[in-house]
Amino acid sequence: MLTTILSSIRAHAGRLFASALAISLGVAFAVGTLVFTDTLKVAMIQSFAQGDQGIDVAVLPPQTTSPNQPGPGGGDGRSRIIHYLAPGILTQVQGISGVKSASGQLIGAAVILDKSGHPYGGRGTSFGVGVPSDPSFKWIKVLSGTRPTTASQVDLDSNTAATLNLNIGDTISVVGKSGLPQKFQVVGIVSVGLTQAFNGSSIIGFTPREAASVTGQAGFREIDVIAAPGVNQTTLSNRIASILGPNAVVETGATKTFNDENAVIKRANAIGNALLTFAVIAILVASIVIANTFRVLVTQRSRELALLRCLGATRNQVFKAIISESFATGVVASGIGIALGVLVAIGLHGIFGAFRGGGIPSAPIQITVRTLIIGSLVGVVTTVAASILPARSATRVSPLQALRHHSDTSFGGALTVKRLATSVALIAIGVLIIVTNLGANASLPLIAVGGALAFAGLLVFAPLVVRPVMTVLGIPARIFGTTGKLATLNTIRNPSRTASTSAALTIGLALISLFSVISSSLNASIDSTIAKNFPFDFVVTTALRGTTVPSSIATSASKTNLFKYVNEVRSGQAVVNGKNQDVSGVTPVLLSQSQLTITSGSLANFGASGTAVISSSLAHSLHVKVGETIAISGGLSTATALPPPSTTTVVAISNNLAFLSNLVIPVIDFAPRFPGVGDDELFLTAKPSVTLVQARAQLQKEIDPYPLVTSQDIGTFESNLSNKIGQILALFTALLALALLISFIGIANTLTLSVVERTRELGLLRSLGLTRPYVATMLALEGMLLAVMGAVLGIAIGVAASWGIVLVLNAQGVTVFSVPISLLIVDVVVAALAGILASLIPARRAAKTPPVVALATEV
Amino acid sequence: MATFQPKIEYDNAVATYNAVKIYGKIGSESAVTALNGVSLEVPLGQFLAVMGPSGSGKSTLLHCMAGLDNLTSGNVVIGSTNLNGLSDRQLTRLRRNSIGFMFQSFNLLPTLTAEQNIRLPSDLAGSSVDEKWFTTLIDLLGIRDRLKHRPSELSGGQQQRVAAARALLSKPTVVFADEPTGNLDSKAGALLLGFLRSSVHEHGQTIVMVTHDPNAASFADKAVLLADGQIIHSIESPTQKSVLEALETLGT
Ligand SMILES: Nc1ncnc2c1ncn2[C@@H]1O[C@H](COP(=O)(O)OP(=O)(O)OP(=O)(O)O)[C@@H](O)[C@H]1O
Ligand SMILES: [Mg+2]
């Protein structure tokens, strides 16, 4: 039996190769993700280890266990991090007995200007830090040069220095909180633990005192303590904790290292899990390709299988033969996949580096035993699982089939009650699972299961639409005359094969179009929100996260008398009824200008001190109604004394506060709670008597001294927001690329198999006078039709699904359903071209078939 | 000399009793009665030729006798086993142990060599091969120097002789052959038929062969003529002439 299996694998190696490649790519993605994630973990742990090296006790701000958030504002970009240790705590710690030395980590926003005066590194990727004078605190290590000792000296991290081509002795311009450039001299190149792990941020190291003055950050992210000789970590940690009380969280060095590592692993896992989703999609697509290949192979070999049955092979033996073949395929494919996976890991590193704007930390590529085991299991199990159904149908081949002279390929695709019922049931169950899970606590895995079920239902149904769809798609193919007609007929002759071949592509395109439509709807909704709610001429923003537009700009712009409205939007985090909450401070007229949907109360009452507008979701979670009060406390914790709690009356509730926070208070209440915080955005409207050109010029003059501050016309502002969504769409597409590639391999594979199957027929056509170019054209048209059908079905499914999602997201502000038709047309055209490309190899094979040999071949 | 040894005492290698085969739904317009009450006993060591016009039910009879297809009514007995009600597994075992097959074409797995093809049934059954008998067969058939070749490298006659070696290797109770010479020229055909006859006469093999060719039938011990699913004539020790005459009376 073994000889039979082996010889058949050898004989069909070519036919199996393409499907093995499909699995290899899927495995490669999974392995690549694991390798990438492991490598990222190691790199990040190394970086944290540098920060924690030699530290006996770490003192952290309350409410955080380890300072594992990225730098200022680096989290979600909107909420300000308010957890800092007040400067007084450092002095207090230094005075505790058993403390040899203590140093505070001062990290704030500051950015270098490049030679043309533009801030380097873009948004949110630059920090100013205080370099401790004591080298025992190793979170900053000097690689060359010295530590800054005077106010005018700075150190630079090695990446930034290399990129900007800066050396010790050079003079640089830095912008911090003041928004105005200051000159410094580079005296050292450093490597930075912890922070360098984030987005490859650039780091400017000042003396601690200068760092505080440049960044405006007085508090510390962490205070590192080195114990006096003979003092135990735990003892010291307990002592410090008891002295500081609730003002700080105190951890031993060992605990902190442990917590940091856990946090790093969590972060890396989160990225890894997101990537694995795409790997799963790729593997799913590959399994469709595999299942399809085996189905075709079983059909093609039905006479051989029948002969085996005649000669005494049991059903079980036939089943085992097919399964062993798929097992062997799976083993080989996994091996190749694991090797490719390492390349994928390097590619992912590149993609993420490019996407996050500053490279990500690197370490030697990590290939663990776990990765190898998972990789091979995934490949083998998927391949074998995908071949189970074809293998079962192989056992149903009756011995009698060996005696029939024409082994008809199954035609399938008949509309049976069973097929319809299965399809409807699967779709219904899938949609039900999705709908019941969409709510507030959406479970992504369950939604995915629902999606997969609904998709399976569509697949069951798909053969039924092959004939009508192909008949329509075949119309343009008619310009190729008989060739076009033959190509169309060839795709219809086995509807279930056509359906499952294009299904692989359908998955990818359904996801891409789903995402395209949703992001386009998101864009359109933002546009319409901005157009409706912020009917202003200019938006002023800042280029560096963690910095704000100096409030002086608003003041002086008002004084020019050129602007009808100068609206400020500030944001911070306070404590509302005992819970952390993002707060926006706005100029009252901003709200009355915008057309917010007010569900209760009135905006007319907003503006006086002690008034607030809240979102309906916050109203719901706080159980407050219009006219009731909420208690706001907290604010910027850098101040030693926090502002006292204030009682605020809710005057209106809205369900579309757009990009304001859920709690909106007047600027006059915001300013004292967040001293020194400037504006996130300024929205300005020119007076009717003033031309836009005039107003723009004046505004430019106001912001000119501040390199980080930029002014845009509202239109540019909108398109910048859209760009961001476009970037995410691009990343998404890049991650789906592999799944798409696999589905085109599937198309190439099916075409090759059908060429093998049709050798006689092709020979006949050739002997009847179909020239080689016509044969190639016919195959190209078939490939194109398969691809276009997959694409069109995918887009139909994607658009339908996104329509549902947009409906659900309506409450979250996605109010417009917008289908990016031109983008989708591009998708179809690209798919068509790729389909033609996929036909090249099979077409060559078909064209090479000499008429005579083709007629003699016994297939 | 290796001689055929029946395992249990029985006189007929294969027999059918009142075999009826109706294709399609019985009573419906599309129903085709392919066999209409065929009773036929093939004693051990007989070479039987089944003849008849196209569509008369020859292949159907062969398939049903070999247990590849079910009768609508009636019985088939191979050796001492009645095929009625046998499961797929039991039928498979029966094919392994008691039946040899030869077809008009596509007898051999294209991926296996001639020798592997010959040994395939015993491979599948996991049983051992009588090596002496194997040598005898390949020498009698003159395919010794072709053993390492694949079917695509063999002539049609050689392919059929490999198939014959395979059918006879396990010394089955009965070998069924459906037009084994249908694709061969008269010389290659005669070679194969001569071998089949000698396997019957010298080694006691039983063979049931469907054929169109009166000359092929003349190699058999007995010929039965089918028409419209019924045996209408039977000729002992048929000659080309007697068969032709019988066929002519049928008006074909
Ligand atoms: N699977 C089938 N379904 C329906 N009818 C069938 C089937 N197989 C055979 N028949 C019909 O049964 C009758 C007998 O067919 P059979 O193949 O046994 O004839 P035959 O004698 O072998 O013919 P030939 O000499 O042409 O091979 C014919 O009328 C044929 O059309
Ligand atoms: Mg026949």
Side-chain angles (χ1 to χ4, degrees), chain A residues 80 175-181 540-544 546-558 566-570 676-682 684 699 702-710:
Chain A
R80 299 284 181 269
V175 183
K177 179 156 195 283
S178 71
L180 298 167
V540 176
T541 51
T542 165
L544 179 66
T547 64
T548 48
V549 178
S551 46
S552 60
I553 294 182
T555 319
S556 59
S558 305
V566 177
N567 285 311
E568 297 174 77
V569 178
R570 301 182 183 183
V677 172
D679 299 312
D680 288 346
E681 286 106 11
L682 275 184
L684 302 100
L699 193 56
E702 299 293 336
I703 65 172
D704 230 20
Y706 305 100
L708 300 187
V709 178
T710 54

Coordinates of all heavy atoms in Angstrom, one line a residue, chain A residues 80 175-181 540-544 546-558 566-570 676-682 684 699 702-710:
Chain A
R80 N -4.3 63.0 28.4 CA -3.1 63.4 29.0 C -2.8 62.5 30.1 O -3.7 62.2 30.9 CB -3.2 64.8 29.5 CG -3.5 65.8 28.4 CD -2.2 66.1 27.6 NE -2.5 67.0 26.5 CZ -2.9 66.7 25.3 NH1 -3.1 65.4 25.0 NH2 -3.2 67.6 24.4
V175 N 12.5 72.4 20.6 CA 11.3 73.1 21.1 C 10.6 72.3 22.1 O 10.5 71.1 22.0 CB 10.3 73.3 19.9 CG1 9.1 74.1 20.3 CG2 11.0 74.0 18.7
G176 N 10.3 72.9 23.2 CA 9.6 72.3 24.3 C 8.2 72.9 24.6 O 7.6 73.4 23.6
K177 N 7.9 73.0 25.8 CA 6.6 73.5 26.2 C 6.3 74.9 25.8 O 5.2 75.3 25.3 CB 6.5 73.4 27.7 CG 5.2 73.9 28.2 CD 4.9 73.4 29.6 CE 3.4 73.6 29.9 NZ 3.1 74.9 30.3
S178 N 7.3 75.8 25.8 CA 7.1 77.2 25.5 C 6.7 77.3 24.0 O 6.1 78.3 23.6 CB 8.4 78.0 25.7 OG 9.4 77.6 24.7
G179 N 7.1 76.3 23.2 CA 6.7 76.4 21.8 C 7.8 77.1 21.0 O 7.7 77.2 19.8
L180 N 8.7 77.7 21.7 CA 9.8 78.5 21.0 C 11.1 77.7 21.0 O 11.4 77.1 21.9 CB 10.0 79.8 21.8 CG 8.7 80.7 21.8 CD1 8.9 81.9 22.8 CD2 8.4 81.3 20.4
P181 N 11.8 77.8 19.9 CA 13.1 77.1 19.8 C 14.1 77.6 20.7 O 14.2 78.8 20.9 CB 13.5 77.3 18.3 CG 12.6 78.3 17.7 CD 11.5 78.6 18.7
V540 N -5.9 75.4 14.1 CA -4.5 75.4 14.5 C -4.2 74.3 15.4 O -5.0 74.0 16.4 CB -4.2 76.8 15.2 CG1 -2.8 76.8 15.7 CG2 -4.5 77.9 14.3
T541 N -3.2 73.5 15.1 CA -2.8 72.3 16.0 C -1.3 72.3 16.2 O -0.6 73.1 15.6 CB -3.2 71.0 15.3 OG1 -2.7 71.1 13.9 CG2 -4.7 70.8 15.2
T542 N -0.9 71.4 17.0 CA 0.6 71.2 17.2 C 1.1 69.9 16.7 O 0.3 68.9 16.6 CB 0.9 71.4 18.7 OG1 2.2 70.9 18.9 CG2 0.0 70.6 19.6
A543 N 2.3 69.9 16.3 CA 2.9 68.7 15.6 C 3.4 67.7 16.6 O 3.8 66.6 16.2 CB 4.0 69.2 14.7
L544 N 3.6 68.0 17.9 CA 4.2 67.1 18.8 C 3.2 66.7 19.9 O 2.6 67.6 20.6 CB 5.4 67.7 19.4 CG 6.1 66.8 20.4 CD1 6.7 65.6 19.8 CD2 7.2 67.6 21.2
G546 N 1.8 65.7 23.3 CA 2.3 66.1 24.6 C 2.5 67.6 24.7 O 2.8 68.1 25.8
T547 N 2.5 68.3 23.6 CA 2.5 69.7 23.6 C 1.2 70.3 23.2 O 0.4 69.6 22.5 CB 3.7 70.3 22.8 OG1 3.3 70.0 21.4 CG2 5.0 69.7 23.1
T548 N 0.9 71.5 23.5 CA -0.3 72.1 23.1 C 0.0 73.4 22.4 O 1.1 73.9 22.5 CB -1.2 72.3 24.3 OG1 -0.5 73.0 25.3 CG2 -1.8 71.0 24.8
V549 N -1.0 74.0 21.8 CA -0.9 75.3 21.2 C -0.9 76.3 22.3 O -1.8 76.4 23.1 CB -2.1 75.6 20.2 CG1 -1.9 77.0 19.6 CG2 -2.1 74.5 19.1
P550 N 0.2 77.1 22.4 CA 0.3 78.1 23.5 C -1.0 78.9 23.5 O -1.4 79.4 22.5 CB 1.5 78.9 23.2 CG 2.3 78.0 22.3 CD 1.4 77.2 21.6
S551 N -1.5 79.1 24.7 CA -2.8 79.9 24.8 C -2.6 81.3 24.4 O -3.6 82.0 24.1 CB -3.4 79.8 26.2 OG -2.4 80.0 27.2
S552 N -1.4 81.8 24.4 CA -1.1 83.1 24.0 C -1.5 83.4 22.5 O -1.9 84.5 22.1 CB 0.4 83.5 24.1 OG 1.1 82.6 23.3
I553 N -1.5 82.3 21.7 CA -1.9 82.5 20.3 C -3.4 82.8 20.2 O -3.8 83.7 19.4 CB -1.6 81.2 19.5 CG1 -0.1 81.0 19.4 CG2 -2.1 81.3 18.1 CD1 0.4 79.8 18.6
A554 N -4.2 82.1 21.0 CA -5.6 82.4 21.0 C -5.8 83.9 21.4 O -6.6 84.6 20.8 CB -6.4 81.5 21.9
T555 N -5.1 84.3 22.4 CA -5.3 85.6 22.9 C -4.9 86.7 21.9 O -5.7 87.6 21.6 CB -4.4 85.8 24.2 OG1 -4.5 84.6 25.0 CG2 -4.8 87.0 25.0
S556 N -3.7 86.5 21.3 CA -3.3 87.5 20.3 C -4.1 87.5 19.0 O -4.4 88.5 18.4 CB -1.8 87.4 20.0 OG -1.5 86.1 19.5
A557 N -4.6 86.3 18.7 CA -5.4 86.2 17.5 C -6.7 87.0 17.7 O -7.2 87.7 16.8 CB -5.7 84.8 17.1
S558 N -7.3 86.9 18.9 CA -8.5 87.6 19.2 C -8.3 89.1 19.1 O -9.2 89.8 18.6 CB -9.0 87.3 20.6 OG -9.1 85.9 20.8
V566 N -12.7 82.8 17.8 CA -11.5 82.1 18.1 C -11.9 81.1 19.2 O -12.1 81.4 20.3 CB -10.4 83.0 18.6 CG1 -9.2 82.2 19.0 CG2 -10.1 84.1 17.6
N567 N -12.1 79.9 18.7 CA -12.6 78.8 19.7 C -11.5 77.9 20.1 O -10.7 77.4 19.3 CB -13.6 78.0 19.0 CG -14.9 78.8 18.8 OD1 -15.4 79.3 19.8 ND2 -15.5 78.8 17.6
E568 N -11.4 77.7 21.4 CA -10.3 76.9 22.0 C -10.9 75.5 22.4 O -12.0 75.4 22.8 CB -9.7 77.5 23.2 CG -9.1 78.9 22.9 CD -8.6 79.6 24.1 OE1 -7.6 79.1 24.7 OE2 -9.3 80.5 24.6
V569 N -10.1 74.5 22.2 CA -10.5 73.2 22.7 C -9.2 72.6 23.4 O -8.2 72.5 22.9 CB -10.8 72.2 21.5 CG1 -11.1 70.8 22.1 CG2 -11.9 72.7 20.7
R570 N -9.4 72.4 24.7 CA -8.3 71.8 25.5 C -8.8 70.5 26.1 O -10.0 70.2 26.2 CB -8.0 72.8 26.7 CG -7.6 74.1 26.2 CD -7.3 75.0 27.4 NE -7.0 76.4 26.9 CZ -6.6 77.4 27.7 NH1 -6.5 77.1 29.0 NH2 -6.4 78.6 27.2
G676 N -1.4 76.0 32.8 CA -0.3 75.8 31.8 C -0.7 75.0 30.6 O 0.1 74.8 29.7
V677 N -1.8 74.3 30.6 CA -2.2 73.5 29.5 C -2.8 74.4 28.4 O -3.7 75.2 28.6 CB -3.2 72.4 29.9 CG1 -3.8 71.7 28.6 CG2 -2.6 71.4 30.8
G678 N -2.2 74.3 27.2 CA -2.7 75.1 26.1 C -3.8 74.4 25.3 O -4.5 73.5 25.9
D679 N -4.0 74.8 24.1 CA -5.1 74.3 23.3 C -4.7 73.1 22.5 O -3.6 73.1 21.8 CB -5.6 75.4 22.4 CG -6.1 76.6 23.2 OD1 -6.8 76.4 24.2 OD2 -5.7 77.7 22.9
D680 N -5.5 72.1 22.4 CA -5.3 71.0 21.5 C -5.5 71.6 20.1 O -4.8 71.3 19.2 CB -6.4 69.9 21.7 CG -6.1 69.1 22.9 OD1 -5.0 69.3 23.5 OD2 -7.0 68.4 23.4
E681 N -6.7 72.2 19.9 CA -7.0 72.8 18.6 C -7.6 74.2 18.9 O -8.2 74.5 19.9 CB -8.0 72.0 17.9 CG -7.5 70.7 17.3 CD -8.0 69.5 18.1 OE1 -8.9 69.7 18.9 OE2 -7.5 68.4 17.8
L682 N -7.3 75.1 17.9 CA -8.0 76.4 17.8 C -8.8 76.3 16.6 O -8.3 76.0 15.5 CB -7.0 77.5 17.7 CG -6.3 78.1 18.9 CD1 -5.4 79.2 18.5 CD2 -7.4 78.6 19.9
L684 N -10.9 78.8 14.1 CA -11.1 80.2 13.9 C -12.0 80.5 12.7 O -11.9 79.7 11.7 CB -9.7 80.9 13.6 CG -8.7 80.8 14.7 CD1 -7.7 79.7 14.4 CD2 -8.0 82.1 15.0
L699 N -2.7 84.8 10.7 CA -2.6 83.7 11.5 C -1.2 83.1 11.4 O -0.6 82.7 12.4 CB -3.7 82.6 11.1 CG -4.0 81.5 12.1 CD1 -4.4 82.0 13.4 CD2 -5.0 80.6 11.5
E702 N 1.1 84.9 13.5 CA 0.9 84.7 14.9 C 1.6 83.4 15.3 O 2.2 83.3 16.4 CB -0.6 84.5 15.3 CG -1.5 85.7 15.0 CD -1.1 86.9 15.9 OE1 -0.5 86.7 17.0 OE2 -1.4 88.0 15.5
I703 N 1.6 82.4 14.5 CA 2.1 81.1 14.9 C 3.6 80.9 14.5 O 4.3 80.0 14.9 CB 1.3 79.9 14.3 CG1 1.4 79.9 12.8 CG2 -0.1 80.0 14.8 CD1 0.8 78.6 12.2
D704 N 4.1 81.9 13.7 CA 5.4 81.8 13.1 C 6.5 81.4 14.1 O 7.4 80.6 13.9 CB 5.7 83.0 12.3 CG 6.3 82.6 10.9 OD1 6.0 81.5 10.5 OD2 6.9 83.5 10.3
P705 N 6.5 82.1 15.3 CA 7.6 81.8 16.2 C 7.6 80.4 16.8 O 8.5 80.0 17.4 CB 7.4 82.9 17.4 CG 6.3 83.8 16.8 CD 5.6 83.1 15.8
Y706 N 6.5 79.7 16.6 CA 6.3 78.4 17.2 C 6.4 77.3 16.2 O 5.4 77.0 15.5 CB 4.9 78.3 17.9 CG 4.7 79.4 18.9 CD1 3.9 80.5 18.6 CD2 5.3 79.4 20.2 CE1 3.7 81.6 19.5 CE2 5.1 80.4 21.1 CZ 4.3 81.5 20.8 OH 4.1 82.5 21.7
P707 N 7.6 76.7 16.1 CA 7.8 75.7 15.0 C 6.8 74.5 15.1 O 6.5 73.9 14.0 CB 9.2 75.2 15.2 CG 9.8 76.2 16.1 CD 8.8 76.8 16.9
L708 N 6.3 74.2 16.3 CA 5.5 73.0 16.4 C 4.0 73.3 16.0 O 3.2 72.4 15.7 CB 5.5 72.5 17.8 CG 6.8 72.0 18.4 CD1 6.6 71.4 19.7 CD2 7.5 71.1 17.4
V709 N 3.7 74.6 16.0 CA 2.3 74.9 15.7 C 2.0 75.1 14.2 O 2.8 75.7 13.5 CB 1.9 76.2 16.5 CG1 0.5 76.6 16.2 CG2 2.1 76.0 18.0
T710 N 1.0 74.5 13.8 CA 0.6 74.6 12.3 C -0.8 75.1 12.2 O -1.7 74.7 13.0 CB 0.8 73.3 11.6 OG1 0.0 72.3 12.2 CG2 2.3 72.9 11.5

